[in-house]
Amino acid sequence: MLEKIFKLKQYNTNVRTEVIAGLTTFMTMAYILFLNPNILAGAGMDKDAVFFATAVAAGIVTIAMGLFVNFPIALAPGMGLNAYFASVAAQGVGIPWQTALGAVFISGVIFIILTITRVRQILVEAIPNSLKRATIVGIGLFITILGVKMSEIMVIKVGPVIPPTLEGLRGGGIPTLNYFEWNTSMGSFENPATLLALIGLIISGILMAKRVKGALLIGIIATTLIGIPMGVTQIPEQFNLFALPDFGNLAVGSLDIMGAVEMGIWTAIFTFTFVELFDTFGTLVGTAGKAGLLDKNGQSPRIGKAMMVDAFGVSFGALMGTSTVTAYIESTAGVGEGGRTGLTAVTTGILFLLALVLAPVAGLIPGAATAPALIIVGLLMIQAIGEIDFNDFTEGLPAFLTIVLMPFTGSIANGIAAGIVFYTLLKAVAGRFKEVHWLMYILFILVVARFLFLAE
C-alpha cells in the first residue's frame, strides 16, 4: 500500500528511511509547539488553545502535503508571521485577535485564487531576488527583537517627556507636542528571567554549534527545567505530564472575517499574503531541489499542487485558531536523512497530532525559555543578507530600507512597501526599466495609493 501511494522504489528509498526522516523533521521543528503559544499569548490568546491549533493545523496540513503532493515537506505556523500577528493584535493596543485570524483566513483565500489562476507564480517572478532576501533578513531582525523583549534582556519603558518636545509638523502645518517617549535599557542579572534566558541562549547556541538534531527543542526543554529552581518556571499544584489541552477554551472557528473586512485592515492582509508568498515558494523549491525532485530547469509539476495545499493550510490554520501555516525550511533536515517522498511528511504530521498529549508541558514553558529560540531563528534568517548586492545602489538602498524599517517601525508591511517603492523608482530614474517586471509598477501604484489615501 505504501509503495502504491508514495512510489518508494521510484525514488530509491524505503519505509525505514522515510520514517526516520519524518522523525528528524519533527524534532527540528517541534519547537514551534512551545514557541507559538508564548508568542500569540501576547495577543491575548489562550496558550492551550494555541497549542491545540498549532498541533492540529501542522499535523493535518503536513499529512495533506504528503498524501496529495508526495513531497517530504512539513508545514506549521510560520516564524515571523506569528510575530507579526502578535504585533497586529497586541493585547490592549491592537485589533482583536479574532479579527486578526479573519485577516489570515482572507489571505488564505487570496492564495487559493492566486494559485488557481497562476498569478502567484507571476508574482514570485516579479519581485526581485534582492527584495525577497531583504524580506527574510528584515523578518529575522523583527523576530530577534521579539526574542530580546521576551527575555527581558531589553526592557522597554514608556514615560513622560519633561519638558514636552516638538514632534513635528502635521496636517496643515500644525505643530504637535510629544508628551511620551519609549525608553529602552538593558536587563539585569538580578532578574531571574533575564538570567535564565541567557543560560538558555548558551545551551541552545552550544547545541546548534555541535549540530545536534532538535537543538532548539532540546534547548527550550532544558531551559524550562533549569527555570524551576530559579522560580521562573511555575508548576501548578495539580500537574499531569501527559494530557489533552483544555477543549473548553479552544479558538476553533473564533475568527472574525467580517470584522477584518469592516475594519479595513488590508495592510495586515497584504503583509500576510506577501510574506507567505515568497517564504513558501523559496522553501518549496529549495527543499524539493535538495531532495532531487526538480528537473534540470528547476521545475516540477508538483510545485503547483504543493502551493495549493499550502494555500489551504493558511485558511485551515486560521479556522483552528493560529496564525499563518506555511512550509518549513527545517524540512531539509529530513531530506538530509534520506527523505524523498510524502511518507516523510505523513510521519511528521502524525507526530504533531500525537504531540497533543503534551499540552500541559507547553503551558509550563516561560517566555524566557522560548526567547533564545527566537534569537537563534533570527540569526538563521539574516544569513540571506549575503545574497544581496549592496554595491548596486538601485538594489542596495531598497533592500536596506526593507530590512531596517521592519524592526525599527515594528511593521513588516512598512519594510516591504518601502522596498517596492524605492526599487521601482530608482530603477526607473536610472533608465533601467527593463530590469523591473511590469507587475512591480502596479504594486508601486498600489503601495503609494495606500499611504496617500488609506493612511489611517
Side-chain angles (χ1 to χ4, degrees):
M1 183 186 69
L2 294 178
E3 170 61 33
K4 184 178 180 180
I5 296 174
F6 301 109
K7 302 184 173 90
L8 302 176
K9 292 181 180 178
Q10 178 181 328
Y11 293 103
N12 193 29
T13 184
N14 55 59
V15 174
R16 180 178 180 276
T17 299
E18 295 294 302
V19 171
I20 291 176
L23 175 61
T24 301
T25 297
F26 175 77
M27 284 294 293
T28 58
M29 61 184 291
Y31 67 86
I32 194 63
L33 287 168
F34 309 113
L35 193 55
N36 204 39
N38 272 3
I39 292 176
L40 298 195
M45 299 187 70
D46 180 81
K47 283 190 176 184
D48 276 349
V50 177
F51 180 87
F52 173 87
T54 302
V56 171
I60 291 179
V61 179
T62 298
I63 290 173
M65 180 67 77
L67 292 177
F68 296 110
V69 188
N70 201 19
F71 263 5
I73 295 176
L75 302 90
M79 290 302 303
L81 287 167
N82 55 4
Y84 177 68
F85 180 98
S87 68
V88 168
Q91 193 170 11
V93 295
I95 64 173
W97 58 262
Q98 294 90 341
T99 304
L101 284 177
V104 173
F105 182 88
I106 293 171
S107 72
V109 174
I110 293 173
F111 270 130
I112 294 174
I113 296 172
L114 293 179
T115 304
I116 293 174
T117 58
R118 296 189 63 81
V119 173
R120 189 174 185 180
Q121 289 83 333
I122 298 175
L123 279 169
V124 170
E125 293 178 9
I127 303 297
N129 286 330
S130 59
L131 291 189
K132 293 175 187 174
R133 301 293 179 267
T135 299
I136 295 172
V137 175
I139 292 175
L141 293 176
F142 188 89
I143 291 174
T144 301
I145 288 180
L146 178 61
V148 294
K149 286 180 182 177
M150 288 177 63
S151 67
E152 299 184 39
I153 293 174
M154 179 175 71
V155 180
I156 298 179
K157 298 178 181 179
V158 181
V161 179
I162 303 174
T165 59
L166 187 64
E167 188 181 55
L169 298 178
R170 287 182 180 173
I174 301 174
T176 60
L177 291 178
N178 181 21
Y179 288 91
F180 293 89
E181 67 178 356
W182 294 87
N183 293 309
T184 60
S185 61
M186 286 291 291
S188 169
F189 283 166
E190 294 180 358
N191 183 346
T194 301
L195 185 57
L196 179 63
L198 291 173
I199 293 173
L201 186 59
I202 292 171
I203 293 173
S204 297
I206 291 174
L207 293 174
M208 290 290 292
K210 296 180 72 67
R211 299 182 182 277
V212 175
K213 289 183 174 65
L216 294 180
L217 175 62
I218 296 171
I220 290 173
I221 294 174
T223 307
T224 299
L225 293 175
I226 295 172
I228 295 175
M230 296 178 65
V232 180
T233 303
Q234 301 292 330
I235 300 180
E237 293 182 2
Q238 294 182 343
F239 174 72
N240 295 317
L241 182 60
F242 301 104
L244 289 171
D246 181 2
F247 291 103
N249 295 319
L250 299 186
V252 177
S254 297
L255 70 170
D256 184 3
I257 299 173
M258 291 308 300
V261 174
E262 291 171 359
M263 290 187 70
I265 54 173
W266 296 106
T267 297
I269 295 172
F270 172 77
T271 300
F272 288 133
T273 304
F274 189 95
V275 176
E276 160 73 357
L277 179 72
F278 303 113
D279 183 60
T280 299
F281 181 81
T283 300
L284 290 176
V285 173
T287 305
K290 187 170 182 179
L293 302 176
L294 302 180
D295 59 26
K296 61 181 180 180
N297 297 317
Q299 301 293 325
S300 171
R302 287 183 286 168
I303 290 292
K305 288 183 179 179
M307 286 186 172
M308 183 58 72
V309 171
D310 176 85
F312 160 78
V314 174
S315 293
F316 179 74
L319 282 171
M320 290 296 99
T322 186
S323 54
T324 305
V325 173
T326 183
Y328 258 59
I329 195 63
E330 282 87 347
S331 301
T332 55
V335 170
E337 290 293 321
R340 294 293 181 271
T341 74
L343 182 54
T344 294
V346 170
T347 301
T348 303
I350 291 173
L351 290 171
F352 267 111
L353 293 178
L354 292 176
L356 279 171
V357 298
L358 295 176
V361 177
L364 292 179
I365 297 175
T370 52
L374 285 172
I375 296 171
I376 291 175
V377 170
L379 163 66
L380 298 178
M381 296 183 74
I382 68 168
Q383 293 174 4
I385 199 169
E387 302 175 41
I388 302 173
D389 182 11
F390 287 102
N391 292 320
D392 182 344
F393 198 78
T394 64
E395 299 276 344
L397 181 61
F400 178 72
L401 292 174
T402 299
I403 292 169
V404 299
L405 287 181
M406 287 186 188
F408 292 162
T409 66
S411 169
I412 296 173
N414 287 345
I416 294 172
I420 291 174
V421 169
F422 277 86
Y423 183 90
T424 307
L425 179 65
L426 293 181
K427 290 290 186 182
V429 172
R432 297 160 64 176
F433 301 97
K434 294 183 179 180
E435 296 181 25
V436 183
H437 193 282
W438 60 266
L439 191 55
M440 283 291 286
Y441 293 106
I442 296 177
L443 293 175
F444 174 91
I445 294 172
L446 291 175
V447 170
V448 171
R450 175 257 180 270
F451 281 101
L452 286 178
F453 304 111
L454 301 175
E456 292 302 317

